[in-house]
Amino acid sequence: MSSTARGARARARIEVTAAIKEEARRQLAAEGAAKLSLRAVARELGMVSSALYRYFPSRDDLLTALIIDAYDSLGASAEAAHAAVADAVPLRRWVAVCEAVRDWALAHPHEYALIYGSPVPGYSAPRTTVPAAARVGILLIGIVRDAQQGQTRPVEPPLPAELRSEAERITADLAPDLSPEVVTVLVAAWSQLYGLVGFEVFGQFNRLVEERAPFFRHAVTRLAHGVGLG
Amino acid sequence: MSSTARGARARARIEVTAAIKEEARRQLAAEGAAKLSLRAVARELGMVSSALYRYFPSRDDLLTALIIDAYDSLGASAEAAHAAVADAVPLRRWVAVCEAVRDWALAHPHEYALIYGSPVPGYSAPRTTVPAAARVGILLIGIVRDAQQGQTRPVEPPLPAELRSEAERITADLAPDLSPEVVTVLVAAWSQLYGLVGFEVFGQFNRLVEERAPFFRHAVTRLAHGVGLG
DNA sequence: CAAAAAAGAGAGCACTGCTCTTGCTCTGGG
DNA sequence: CCCAGAGCAAGAGCAGTGCTCTCTTTTTTG
């Protein structure tokens, strides 16, 4: 029999689990990860705090679940934005994905902090989060791959000798059909994108950059040029 | 009379304040900001927790003090690294400052998280932190300024019209003697530097980039090219 | 239908930040 | 010189936290 009709108990379990995550996400959005309290979640749901441990063995496990959801939410936003301009020229698709990341981060600052800010507990990031976390990167790789069919700019400067073998290893892992030069720059651009977004979300641009949307667009356009687009 | 000899009481106060910060910094380095506990600090210093409130009115105030110290420590490291190559060509000085930021961050990951990761409490960053936080940026601006005396590469692409006035405003605030094109790219490069560093410190490069020093050097060299250096 | 598994309730432990009151000690102005 | 007031430490206590343990109820399963 299907797992959805496996009895009232199983159904209740996934409903309660969802309700816990929903309320936890609300508290996260309202106050940040530091103030997320298991007891407050339980209280809001009308259950006693110890009952919550039947669903999440610890506060950190709850947070991990929220982290994965956040990665998925961000990935889905980026993919949707990309799909909306799927037929456009690569540069335009690149900018669309970057702007989707920025928009999501501004709309969900605490969740952004959870996944791209400081690691919250001792530090965790269990392997479970890897596939969800990779979605934006995969998107960017795909755009560059498509662009390589057409004409691209040269990537400068050339790889220094000390980086050659490492660049080839990363390329083999990530996108064997691209050149090590491009992949290296792409990985750097990927991290730099989050530098731009992080500075805006965490207030580092306060009283410095005001017109942030055009500033961001210009910066990620330059990033795109760096990987050979446009 | 000098403020250093203003009586045993005043001297004791600054000594105790320093001891508190020292112990707090030790706990911060060991366990991270989340687990920094006023009571534990007091316990370690052989005082009762309530006594500590004579020196820092709240846990957040203690954290703010540590934040300022962290900015200063990072700024001092960067300035020292810059001074050591003060006569070199601008590109080399740029790379030296960037690598100093990276080295400091890797040596003090929790302090780095404190200042460039997620804002810890509701969020604070009181104005007091601004001058300390600006030191690295000032260094980078100075390098670019010096480079403008000699030959530089052109900055591409040109500023879009929608960014023109904002770029001029930022330039007037930051470095009126530089062109808006360069200043805009410089601000972006500044944030992107912290994207590179943050991804390494927070483990986003795990199992992806292994030879991180040459990778970083290459990436910041490209950043330097972007602002016209080299 | 009875045994077993799952879930909730409640008490309790050890910890946190923070406040308030009670004393002791040092210091500056009369 | 001396003594009132400021500075400081200590202790008790409040409200909250994550988490564990036991006990009871409910549901599923052999």
Side-chain angles (χ1 to χ4, degrees):
Chain A
M1 66 190 55
S2 108
S3 67
T4 64
R6 231 191 116 101
R9 187 147 251 175
R11 210 168 326 118
R13 182 165 235 287
I14 70 172
E15 268 172 30
V16 173
T17 305
I20 291 171
K21 286 210 286 187
E22 189 183 341
E23 175 58 31
R25 191 161 17 244
R26 180 173 14 258
Q27 290 194 17
L28 177 63
E31 299 269 25
K35 301 207 172 165
L36 196 170
S37 148
L38 279 187
R39 292 181 110 113
V41 170
R43 208 179 302 131
E44 210 67 25
L45 263 49
M47 51 189 348
V48 85
S49 74
S50 60
L52 217 145
Y53 284 82
R54 303 261 176 212
Y55 298 88
F56 295 94
S58 82
R59 182 181 181 277
D60 283 359
D61 289 272
L62 213 198
L63 265 180
T64 301
L66 294 183
I67 287 174
I68 294 174
D69 285 5
Y71 273 123
D72 272 324
S73 168
L74 169 60
S77 286
E79 283 162 12
H82 181 250
V85 294
D87 297 327
V89 71
L91 174 59
R92 187 160 152 61
R93 289 157 59 196
W94 173 281
V95 172
V97 168
C98 291
E99 287 183 330
V101 171
R102 172 176 178 264
D103 291 344
W104 187 92
L106 290 175
H108 309 86
H110 284 117
E111 276 155 283
Y112 182 83
L114 199 57
I115 58 183
Y116 286 111
S118 342
V120 188
Y123 71 112
S124 57
R127 305 296 266 266
T128 334
T129 66
V130 173
R135 290 169 70 173
V136 170
I138 288 170
L139 231 39
L140 295 179
I141 291 173
I143 293 170
V144 173
R145 195 197 323 275
D146 288 356
Q148 298 288 351
Q149 318 292 14
Q151 85 290 10
T152 56
R153 335 176 127 229
V155 171
E156 285 186 49
L159 283 178
E162 53 174 0
L163 193 53
R164 184 95 234 161
S165 69
E166 170 73 355
E168 282 165 359
R169 197 189 53 70
I170 297 172
T171 303
D173 281 2
L174 234 49
D177 52 334
L178 297 182
S179 77
E181 283 82 2
V182 166
V183 172
T184 304
V185 175
L186 184 50
V187 171
W190 172 60
S191 78
Q192 290 166 10
L193 162 63
Y194 289 95
L196 286 161
V197 173
F199 263 35
E200 181 168 354
V201 173
F202 297 150
Q204 228 86 28
F205 282 157
N206 284 355
R207 277 180 288 280
L208 178 58
V209 181
E210 302 288 353
E211 299 289 330
R212 291 170 195 168
F215 176 86
F216 180 81
R217 174 182 282 261
H218 185 244
V220 297
T221 301
R222 284 178 50 86
L223 245 30
H225 288 183
V227 296
L229 268 54
Chain B
M1 66 189 52
S2 108
S3 67
T4 64
R6 232 189 115 101
R9 189 147 252 176
R11 210 170 324 119
R13 180 165 237 285
I14 70 172
E15 267 172 30
V16 173
T17 305
I20 292 171
K21 287 209 286 186
E22 188 182 342
E23 175 59 31
R25 191 160 19 245
R26 179 171 17 255
Q27 289 192 19
L28 177 63
E31 299 268 26
K35 302 207 172 168
L36 197 172
S37 149
L38 278 187
R39 293 182 111 112
V41 170
R43 210 178 302 133
E44 210 66 26
L45 263 49
M47 50 187 355
V48 84
S49 75
S50 60
L52 218 145
Y53 284 82
R54 300 259 169 208
Y55 298 88
F56 295 94
S58 80
R59 180 183 182 277
D60 283 359
D61 290 272
L62 213 198
L63 267 180
T64 302
L66 295 183
I67 288 174
I68 295 174
D69 285 4
Y71 273 122
D72 271 325
S73 168
L74 168 60
S77 286
E79 283 162 11
H82 181 251
V85 294
D87 297 328
V89 72
L91 174 59
R92 185 159 154 61
R93 289 158 59 197
W94 173 281
V95 172
V97 168
C98 291
E99 287 183 330
V101 172
R102 171 175 178 265
D103 291 343
W104 186 91
L106 291 175
H108 310 85
H110 285 118
E111 275 155 282
Y112 182 83
L114 199 58
I115 58 184
Y116 286 110
S118 341
V120 189
Y123 72 112
S124 54
R127 303 297 266 267
T128 333
T129 67
V130 172
R135 291 169 70 172
V136 171
I138 287 170
L139 231 39
L140 295 178
I141 291 173
I143 293 171
V144 172
R145 195 196 324 273
D146 289 355
Q148 298 287 355
Q149 318 293 14
Q151 85 289 11
T152 56
R153 334 177 128 229
V155 171
E156 286 187 50
L159 282 178
E162 53 173 1
L163 193 53
R164 184 95 235 161
S165 69
E166 171 73 356
E168 281 164 0
R169 197 188 51 71
I170 297 172
T171 302
D173 282 1
L174 234 49
D177 52 334
L178 298 181
S179 76
E181 284 82 3
V182 166
V183 172
T184 304
V185 175
L186 184 51
V187 172
W190 173 59
S191 77
Q192 290 166 13
L193 163 63
Y194 289 95
L196 287 162
V197 173
F199 264 35
E200 180 168 353
V201 173
F202 297 151
Q204 228 87 27
F205 282 156
N206 284 354
R207 278 179 287 281
L208 178 59
V209 181
E210 303 287 354
E211 298 289 331
R212 292 170 194 168
F215 176 86
F216 180 82
R217 175 182 281 262
H218 185 243
V220 297
T221 301
R222 284 177 50 85
L223 245 30
H225 289 183
V227 296
L229 269 52

